[in-house]
Amino acid sequence: MSYCLNPHCSHPENPNDLKFCQTCGTKLFLKERYRAIKPIGQGGFGRTFLAVDEDKPSKPPCVIKQFYPQAQGTNTVQKAVELFNQEAVQLDELGQHSQIPALLAYCNQDDRQYLVQEFIDGLNLHQELGQNGAFNEPQIRQLLNDLLTVLQFCHSKQVIHRDIKPENIIRRNSDHKLVIVDFGAAKSATGTALNRTGTSIGSPEYVAPEQMRGKALFASDIYSLGVTCINLLTERSPFDSYDTHNAAWVWGQYLKTPISQELSRVIDKMVESIPSHRYQTVDEVIKDLNFPQLSVTPTQITPPSSQPSAVVKTSSQIDRELQELKTQFTGGKPQPQNLNSQSQSPSNNPIDKELEEMKAKFLGNS
């Protein structure tokens, strides 16, 4: 079947072999190439269709987004135009990442704007939650490690997604990777036009407080991802996991399965209401998630300045203790090593770098 893109068509269904709608005469092919099959979504500013790329021998599926604002008011429509144009620009660059849909086309036809993007075959996490139930700790850790690198890529391009939520995360059937979709709300952190508007965009349950005030930050995406984890762990609306009277998250009491204190601390810091108390970068989250003991003051080693004056540790003693600490993290056997050796090449291992910083701090206090 071919589906007519004219929003006013009374009978949009057509046979596959037609090039023009048999009811209203509208072109059935976008850019003489993309044929809509059926509508799969509709909002206040447009419609989305499952489509086929007729220009390729395999006729792969794709998605057509049609800009069709139904809201009233010049300012509202103008904002919608900005966001639609912006999504095309964002996807053109961000689609280079394998976990972000690629932009295939952006065009005008019959006085309406369209963009065509890669189709991601799979369930979104909201659907997956309804089908399989609450996530457990290994699933949440896998989710975070998968998605944090995607956000890292977006932020490196100075793009804030602004609408991270389970519905906008799809698990791709072909490789089970998580894909972030719907960049219609995304904005450039270096742009000026949208920054001046102070417009609040996103889904209220998942939006950071500062974003509600129109001041989205990179940390706002981290907040939304943390709230997404809370939803997946509890199977509850985030609104129901927050105590408004005491301004505190209470999601821990609604867990379906227990999780470790380490993961709980990471999520709690992701969803701090005050931006300065929250993780500022994705790198910080990744570090705490995978190397939690490196992110707190070590109890195994006491800085010389806090020890009794009769007990002062030498550089070699600190070297040995740091090596023992590394062994606990890596699960290997301790290897005699002089961390101060100038003949050794610098290590790219994050644990080695962290231990070097610890040593410098301790020796600097002695």
Side-chain angles (χ1 to χ4, degrees), residues 76-314:
T76 303
V77 173
Q78 180 58 37
K79 170 56 62 178
V81 171
E82 287 183 47
L83 291 174
F84 191 83
N85 291 338
Q86 183 175 267
E87 180 173 14
V89 173
Q90 308 288 13
L91 283 176
D92 194 25
E93 183 171 6
L94 296 177
Q96 302 167 20
H97 195 286
S98 64
Q99 288 167 262
I100 297 174
L103 178 69
L104 305 177
Y106 179 60
C107 64
N108 285 278
Q109 185 167 298
D110 298 325
D111 296 324
R112 283 182 285 272
Q113 291 174 286
Y114 295 90
L115 64 81
V116 184
Q117 66 184 71
E118 175 188 5
F119 171 70
I120 307 300
D121 185 21
L123 297 178
N124 66 46
L125 294 190
H126 175 73
Q127 295 168 324
E128 195 172 288
L129 182 66
Q131 189 175 94
N132 302 327
F135 282 41
N136 56 30
E137 176 159 344
Q139 289 174 307
I140 291 295
R141 285 184 174 273
Q142 182 183 31
L143 176 151
L144 285 171
N145 279 312
D146 210 5
L147 292 181
L148 285 168
T149 56
V150 186
L151 280 185
Q152 192 176 44
F153 174 78
C154 295
H155 293 175
S156 73
K157 301 294 184 181
Q158 300 301 303
V159 171
I160 306 169
H161 186 281
R162 295 201 297 181
D163 200 16
I164 299 294
K165 59 182 179 180
E167 289 87 344
N168 285 341
I169 302 167
I170 297 175
R171 192 181 303 279
R172 187 165 49 203
N173 286 335
S174 60
D175 59 4
H176 304 293
K177 285 285 188 180
L178 295 175
V179 179
I180 297 180
V181 301
D182 199 351
F183 280 78
K187 80 166 185 177
S188 171
T190 59
T192 56
L194 288 175
N195 287 347
R196 286 198 302 266
T197 64
T199 302
S200 173
I201 292 174
S203 302
E205 289 178 291
Y206 297 90
V207 168
E210 71 278 1
Q211 187 175 322
M212 292 292 288
R213 299 189 291 271
K215 302 291 183 182
L217 309 166
F218 292 129
S220 305
D221 280 347
I222 294 173
Y223 179 96
S224 297
L225 183 57
V227 178
T228 294
C229 291
I230 289 174
N231 169 252
L232 297 174
L233 284 164
T234 64
E235 289 187 271
R236 295 167 61 87
S237 161
F239 284 151
D240 296 332
S241 296
Y242 188 80
D243 182 354
T244 55
H245 296 293
N246 296 300
W249 286 99
V250 291
W251 59 275
Q253 62 187 277
Y254 299 114
L255 288 171
K256 298 298 182 180
T257 57
I259 64 171
S260 66
Q261 289 185 352
E262 288 83 0
L263 179 58
S264 179
R265 280 196 294 265
V266 169
I267 295 175
D268 279 338
K269 191 170 179 179
M270 292 176 75
V271 298
E272 281 281 1
S273 296
I274 301 173
S276 61
H277 294 176
R278 199 183 309 150
Y279 290 109
Q280 300 300 296
T281 67
V282 170
D283 287 343
E284 293 175 9
V285 190
I286 294 173
K287 177 180 169 183
D288 272 12
L289 185 66
N290 296 298
F291 304 103
Q293 297 178 70
L294 290 178
S295 303
V296 296
T297 303
T299 56
Q300 294 91 339
I301 306 171
T302 306
S305 59
S306 62
Q307 296 176 359
S309 57
V311 182
V312 178
K313 294 190 178 182
T314 65

Side-chain angles (χ1 to χ4, degrees), residues 31-44:
K31 293 196 71 177
E32 313 296 334
R33 174 173 182 172
Y34 303 104
R35 176 171 59 87
I37 297 175
K38 64 178 181 178
I40 55 176
Q42 181 165 339

